Amino acid sequence: ARLGKTRQDSARLGETRRDSTTRPFATRRLPAAASPLTATMYVLKDRVFNVKWRSDFDKACVTVNFERRGWHKWKESDQDDWNIYWASVYSTKQVFSSDSHIRLGDHQLINHFPNHYELTRKDLMVKNMKRYRKEVQREGRDTSVLDFVPTTFVLPGDYALFVEEYRRQPNSTWILKPSARAQGKGIFLINKLSQVRKWYATQWPGAIKVNSSDAYVVSKYIQNPLLIGGKKFDLRLYVCVRSYRPLQAYKSSLCFARFCNYKYTEDEDDLDNAFVHLTNVAVQKHSDSYNENHGSKWPLESLQFYLRSNYGHERTEKLMREIDGIIVHTLKACQSVMINDRHCFELYGYDIIVDDALKPWLIEVNASPSLSATTHADRRLKFQLINDTIKCVAPKHWVSSAQKQSGAGGVPNFVSGGSSPLRETGSFTLLYDEVSQQQERLRMKREAEKSQEDRPRWSTWGSSAKVSGSSSSGGGSGILGSHSGSRRAFSARSSFRH
């Protein structure tokens, strides 16, 4: 009855017109005088369906993006009845737990893969990269393109290997990080082996069994970072992965550089000064020199302008290509071990540092990049980022063919419809599509084979060279000649061998 009244209200208000020729369904905002139910409806031909969103984060950049689309907010009474879920890492673990007995439908999307930690945990990322390097080496390909991860060991398991490596370069500086923590927590630098031994004895005393969450990674510290204004910085890049098999990844143009508030120095007295060495906003915002107007950040466009002005266009473009290569190779390294659930997508936050030779180095990959905004520009960036992510993973044309044919109501089928990748959506641009890459390699292979077939083949037998397949008075003595000609050629070769 309410639905019938809604349609009557829409007709009276002149809102029945919709453009069904250009898109499968259209969003219509009705005037305030209409029923509240009509303000949150999507129309697919003559059917009406609602979209329910759920989020573990009370961040405006997430909630406002859902509300402006006119989608319904999930309630506790709805239980598992939701369409898109912006979940925390813990909630994702509960959803995919065998004890939860939750089976996601074609109309549901969640923002994490079941084992996303294969890339975002520092120790597992290092393990997967080492395995990937061995695979590339076995295939005979160049492994120099994978030299973007500093020398890294996992403690306590690789402690003996780390000590051996340290003794080869006793004057080097190393950085220790917890494997499963973020925002600069638990990070410190060392330049003496005695410091590591003392810390190691207090961290893992005796023969206590070490939990995987307590593991640390120790990496060679980049002591020659590229400095701007004498300050160290790193890059934060956002990557959206819609699928791992086949791999389909998008890169956002909403990237920025994060600067330290203090000038960089290698003095031992400042080795413990996080404001000199760590670029995390969660750390730098507590500095006395923190600027709340710009938040110690530069947009990517400003950084590229600076690099082109000082290092030239070619070197800057080479740096950007190498950064894209880092993203693709790290995703490929985890592709074989990642559980590719078609209801999942992932928004990664890549942290990359550049040295003074314009070589990029991968620091870490974040599964839940910060959605907190410290400045007005940061707030607009995060809002647009989430908006473009939703466009990328749940575009409007993703409506299942089954719903179109049967005319059944319900929610839009986000998953079943999006077979062909979008080349560009908002700030996201298609970075890698495995299906397209395979098709391109197959096309090039066929062209190479065709060119080989079209090349003329020359006979090497007889007193004069003849094109294969050409007729001769001897009955076809060419390589592609007649059967008798082939027998004579075979006899001649046998005589030559004898």
Side-chain angles (χ1 to χ4, degrees), residues 139-330:
E139 295 173 359
R141 292 186 288 158
D142 183 19
T143 59
S144 62
V145 295
L146 304 179
D147 295 334
F148 53 78
V149 179
T151 304
T152 304
F153 301 95
V154 180
L155 301 180
D158 297 338
Y159 179 74
L161 296 175
F162 162 68
V163 172
E164 182 180 351
E165 181 66 24
Y166 180 88
R167 286 172 176 166
R168 294 177 184 172
Q169 304 176 19
N171 296 324
S172 57
T173 302
W174 296 75
I175 183 169
L176 285 86
K177 306 176 183 178
S179 294
R181 302 182 71 180
Q183 297 182 339
K185 298 175 182 176
I187 299 178
F188 61 97
L189 280 68
I190 59 99
N191 60 354
K192 295 180 181 178
L193 194 58
S194 58
Q195 296 172 320
V196 184
R197 287 173 176 167
K198 183 178 179 181
W199 169 82
Y200 185 90
T202 57
Q203 185 74 14
W204 297 293
I208 299 177
K209 184 178 180 181
V210 179
N211 193 345
S212 60
S213 61
D214 297 331
Y216 267 69
V217 294
V218 53
S219 304
K220 186 76 176 297
Y221 187 62
I222 306 299
Q223 295 182 259
N224 60 328
L226 178 65
L227 304 179
I228 297 180
K231 297 179 180 180
K232 178 182 174 181
F233 71 94
D234 71 353
L235 285 172
R236 165 56 62 90
L237 302 101
Y238 295 103
V239 177
C240 180
V241 177
R242 292 206 320 190
S243 170
Y244 267 97
R245 285 188 296 277
L247 181 60
Q248 191 179 109
Y250 292 79
K251 177 187 171 186
S252 175
S253 60
L254 301 175
C255 311
F256 55 88
R258 306 180 300 182
F259 285 82
C260 292
N261 288 308
Y262 290 7
K263 290 190 175 182
Y264 179 75
T265 176
E266 295 185 41
D267 294 342
E268 290 190 13
D269 296 338
D270 290 323
L271 206 61
D272 296 332
N273 192 342
F275 301 137
V276 173
H277 298 283
L278 302 184
T279 58
N280 305 75
V281 177
V283 174
Q284 294 296 329
K285 67 181 181 180
H286 298 293
S287 169
D288 296 335
S289 303
Y290 180 73
N291 190 317
E292 295 183 354
N293 294 325
H294 55 67
S296 300
K297 295 178 182 179
W298 255 17
L300 181 62
E301 294 80 5
S302 300
L303 179 64
Q304 288 178 325
F305 180 79
Y306 173 86
L307 294 176
R308 291 191 183 101
S309 301
N310 290 272
Y311 297 95
H313 180 79
E314 291 185 3
R315 293 188 66 184
T316 303
E317 293 304 312
K318 180 175 179 290
L319 171 64
M320 295 297 117
R321 289 195 301 270
E322 290 177 350
I323 290 175
D324 291 344
I326 289 177
I327 297 172
V328 173
H329 284 300
T330 51

Side-chain angles (χ1 to χ4, degrees), residues 411-469:
V411 295
N413 190 330
F414 293 135
V415 178
S416 302
S419 55
S420 59
L422 300 170
R423 291 295 170 183
E424 185 174 347
T425 172
S427 63
F428 282 101
T429 305
L430 184 63
L431 176 64
Y432 187 85
D433 179 49
E434 189 172 13
V435 174
S436 300
Q437 293 288 332
Q438 291 174 350
Q439 292 174 349
E440 180 66 17
R441 285 195 295 267
L442 183 61
R443 185 188 64 80
M444 294 178 64
K445 182 180 178 181
R446 288 175 177 173
E447 289 182 355
E449 291 175 351
K450 188 175 183 301
S451 62
Q452 284 293 111
E453 293 176 357
D454 294 341
R455 289 178 58 186
R457 300 183 181 181
W458 301 90
S459 172
T460 57
W461 303 105
S463 58
S464 62
K466 297 187 174 98
V467 178
S468 62

Side-chain angles (χ1 to χ4, degrees), residues 1-220:
R2 293 181 64 190
L3 184 57
K5 186 177 183 303
T6 299
R7 290 176 175 172
Q8 292 175 5
D9 292 341
S10 299
R12 285 198 301 268
L13 292 169
E15 293 291 334
T16 55
R17 182 176 58 86
R18 61 181 179 273
D19 186 5
S20 59
T21 59
T22 58
R23 49 184 178 176
F25 62 93
T27 307
R28 300 196 314 244
R29 281 282 184 180
L30 300 184
S35 170
L37 182 64
T38 63
T40 57
M41 291 260 176
Y42 280 80
V43 177
L44 172 62
K45 294 186 177 179
D46 294 329
R47 300 293 174 177
V48 181
F49 54 81
N50 301 323
V51 178
K52 290 182 181 179
W53 62 272
R54 181 179 177 183
S55 176
D56 291 336
F57 301 94
D58 189 20
K59 301 292 184 182
C61 59
V62 176
T63 59
V64 174
N65 267 299
F66 288 138
E67 291 171 352
R68 286 190 177 182
R69 285 172 164 78
W71 294 354
H72 288 296
K73 185 177 181 180
W74 174 86
K75 297 175 292 186
E76 290 287 344
S77 58
D78 294 329
Q79 296 182 355
D80 297 332
D81 183 17
W82 48 265
N83 304 124
I84 186 166
Y85 188 4
W86 202 276
S88 64
V89 173
Y90 176 78
S91 296
T92 304
K93 183 178 179 181
Q94 298 300 315
V95 168
F96 291 104
S97 173
S98 58
D99 298 332
S100 65
H101 303 291
I102 297 176
R103 184 174 181 177
L104 299 181
D106 286 345
H107 58 277
Q108 292 180 309
L109 281 175
I110 190 169
N111 67 322
H112 289 298
F113 286 89
N115 59 336
H116 58 86
Y117 45 80
E118 292 288 347
L119 178 60
T120 56
R121 271 187 64 106
K122 302 175 184 66
D123 53 345
L124 296 180
M125 183 194 72
V126 171
K127 181 189 73 173
N128 289 323
M129 283 301 304
K130 290 181 178 179
R131 189 195 67 252
Y132 179 65
R133 175 183 283 272
K134 292 179 181 178
E135 293 175 359
V136 172
Q137 196 169 10
R138 279 197 301 267
E139 295 173 359
R141 292 186 288 158
D142 183 19
T143 59
S144 62
V145 295
L146 304 179
D147 295 334
F148 53 78
V149 179
T151 304
T152 304
F153 301 95
V154 180
L155 301 180
D158 297 338
Y159 179 74
L161 296 175
F162 162 68
V163 172
E164 182 180 351
E165 181 66 24
Y166 180 88
R167 286 172 176 166
R168 294 177 184 172
Q169 304 176 19
N171 296 324
S172 57
T173 302
W174 296 75
I175 183 169
L176 285 86
K177 306 176 183 178
S179 294
R181 302 182 71 180
Q183 297 182 339
K185 298 175 182 176
I187 299 178
F188 61 97
L189 280 68
I190 59 99
N191 60 354
K192 295 180 181 178
L193 194 58
S194 58
Q195 296 172 320
V196 184
R197 287 173 176 167
K198 183 178 179 181
W199 169 82
Y200 185 90
T202 57
Q203 185 74 14
W204 297 293
I208 299 177
K209 184 178 180 181
V210 179
N211 193 345
S212 60
S213 61
D214 297 331
Y216 267 69
V217 294
V218 53
S219 304
K220 186 76 176 297

